[in-house]
Amino acid sequence: MSRSVFLAGSALFVAGLGYSLLSSSKDRSADLAEIDEDDFITEVEIVEIFDALFLQTQDILSKIMQQIQALQMAGQSIPEAQLKGLLKMEMERALMDRQKKLLDQFGFDYDCLEEATWEFLEDEEKHPKVKKAVDRLQKLWESTTGEPVAGWRPGKTMQSAIAAEDLLPPDRLIEVAEKYFSALTQCMREIVDRYKAEGKSLQDPMVQQLLNREFAEKANDAGEEAIGNEGISMSVFEGSIKEHSNNPNVGRALGMLQMRQQQELMSLGQG
C-alpha cells in the first residue's frame, strides 16, 4: 500500500490515522513550523486541515451508519468484528482521498504536515488549538474502530487496557450511555435554538455546514462532561462498550439509543 496518513508500520497512530513517524529537532518560532528552507506551515493551517478531516470523516461515518442501520432494521445481523472492520476500511478509504485533496489544496506534502504537526505538539500548552484538533480526530477514530489511539504522541506507548474492575457492568453502561447521547442531543438542540433565534434558515446549505461544524466542535466535550458527571472517564466508558460488544442486550440498547438520537437530530435540523 502506498504511504498515507493511515500507515504506521506497526499500527502507531496520530489523529486516528496511521502516521509513519518522524522525529524532528528543528527550531521553530511560536507560530510557524519550519519544514524546508523557504517552506512554512502555520498553526492555523494545521488546525484547518485536521478540522476538515474530522468533519469529512464524521460525515462519511454518519452515512455508513445510516446504511448499516437500514440493514439492521431490515433484519440483517452484522457481527461486531465485521462491523468494526467495515467501518475502519471505509474510513481509511475516504480519508486517504480527502487527505490528498486537502494537501493539494494547501500545497503541502505528507511529510511537511506530519513533521509540522509533531513539532507543534512538542509543547501542547503553547498550541492548544493544534492539540484539540488532533485529539478530536484521534477520539473519533478510536471510538469507531476500537484502536486505542486517543492522546497518542511520538515516543509514547499505546494506551494501556482498562482494569477489569473499572469496567462498567451492562446495566450501568446503558444508563451512562443514555446520559451521553442525551447530552449530544441537547448540545445540538441549543445550537439549533440559537440559530433560529438569530433568524438563520436551517434549510440553507451554508447554515447547515456551520451548524454541523459547531456541533462537531462541541459534541465531544458535551458527551464527556455528561459521563464525567457520573464519575466515569471516557476511556472507561469506551472500554466498557468494547468489553460488552458481544452482549446482545447491550448491543440492542446502544443501537436503539443511537437510532433515537439520530432521529432526534434529524428532527431538530428540519426547522
Side-chain angles (χ1 to χ4, degrees):
M1 185 181 295
S2 62
R3 183 174 184 172
S4 75
V5 287
F6 304 102
L7 301 184
S10 59
L12 299 177
F13 292 82
V14 63
L17 319 173
Y19 267 77
S20 58
L21 303 179
L22 295 178
S23 61
S24 173
S25 60
K26 294 181 179 180
D27 294 330
R28 54 167 169 73
S29 69
D31 297 318
L32 298 174
E34 182 177 358
I35 305 303
D36 294 317
E37 184 176 345
D38 299 314
D39 190 11
F40 294 91
I41 298 182
T42 68
E43 180 176 5
V44 171
E45 289 168 330
I46 290 178
V47 171
E48 286 181 356
I49 290 173
F50 277 93
D51 281 353
L53 283 173
F54 173 81
L55 292 171
Q56 292 173 20
T57 302
Q58 192 177 59
D59 182 58
I60 291 296
L61 178 60
S62 175
K63 292 177 180 177
I64 294 173
M65 291 307 298
Q66 288 176 16
Q67 295 171 357
I68 291 173
Q69 288 171 359
L71 292 174
Q72 291 174 333
M73 292 179 68
Q76 297 190 34
S77 176
I78 304 176
E80 180 71 17
Q82 182 179 344
L83 177 59
K84 290 288 187 183
L86 173 63
L87 288 173
K88 183 176 179 180
M89 179 181 67
E90 289 299 318
M91 288 176 67
E92 286 181 349
R93 182 183 60 79
L95 277 169
M96 287 175 70
D97 175 66
R98 281 152 179 76
Q99 172 198 284
K100 182 180 184 304
K101 291 178 178 177
L102 282 168
L103 290 175
D104 289 344
Q105 175 185 333
F106 280 83
F108 304 142
D109 62 24
Y110 168 81
D111 290 336
C112 290
L113 175 62
E114 179 185 24
E115 188 170 347
T117 300
W118 291 138
E119 286 190 2
F120 279 118
L121 289 179
E122 286 175 2
D123 191 341
E124 297 181 352
E125 292 185 1
K126 289 185 177 180
H127 305 285
K129 292 182 179 179
V130 175
K131 179 182 185 301
K132 180 178 180 180
V134 171
D135 284 349
R136 187 171 63 167
L137 197 49
Q138 283 182 321
K139 289 179 180 179
L140 177 61
W141 180 270
E142 179 172 313
S143 64
T144 303
T145 68
E147 296 279 0
V149 301
W152 185 85
R153 301 291 187 263
K156 293 185 179 180
T157 58
M158 299 296 281
Q159 160 181 327
S160 59
I162 304 299
E165 58 268 25
D166 293 331
L167 294 172
L168 305 175
D171 289 347
R172 178 59 172 156
L173 172 59
I174 294 171
E175 180 182 326
V176 174
E178 290 178 346
K179 303 285 187 181
Y180 176 81
F181 285 113
S182 293
L184 299 188
T185 302
Q186 179 61 25
C187 177
M188 174 63 89
R189 181 177 291 109
E190 291 174 358
I191 297 172
V192 168
D193 287 346
R194 176 161 49 81
Y195 275 38
K196 289 181 178 179
E198 294 172 352
K200 296 178 180 177
S201 171
L202 300 184
Q203 306 307 313
D204 185 332
M206 291 298 295
V207 173
Q208 291 179 3
Q209 185 177 11
L210 290 172
L211 186 150
N212 290 334
R213 177 181 290 272
E214 183 171 352
F215 178 68
E217 291 175 348
K218 295 181 176 180
N220 285 340
D221 290 341
E224 193 162 354
E225 180 180 358
I227 64 173
N229 290 337
E230 297 294 311
I232 307 298
S233 69
M234 183 60 75
S235 59
V236 167
F237 179 57
E238 293 174 344
S240 299
I241 291 176
K242 183 176 181 180
E243 174 69 17
H244 299 299
S245 60
N246 293 322
N247 184 317
N249 292 330
V250 172
R252 189 179 306 111
L254 294 181
M256 291 299 295
L257 287 172
Q258 289 176 318
M259 290 178 62
R260 185 177 70 187
Q261 183 209 26
Q262 185 179 40
Q263 291 170 351
E264 290 174 343
L265 293 182
M266 290 177 63
S267 175
L268 289 172
Q270 291 174 357

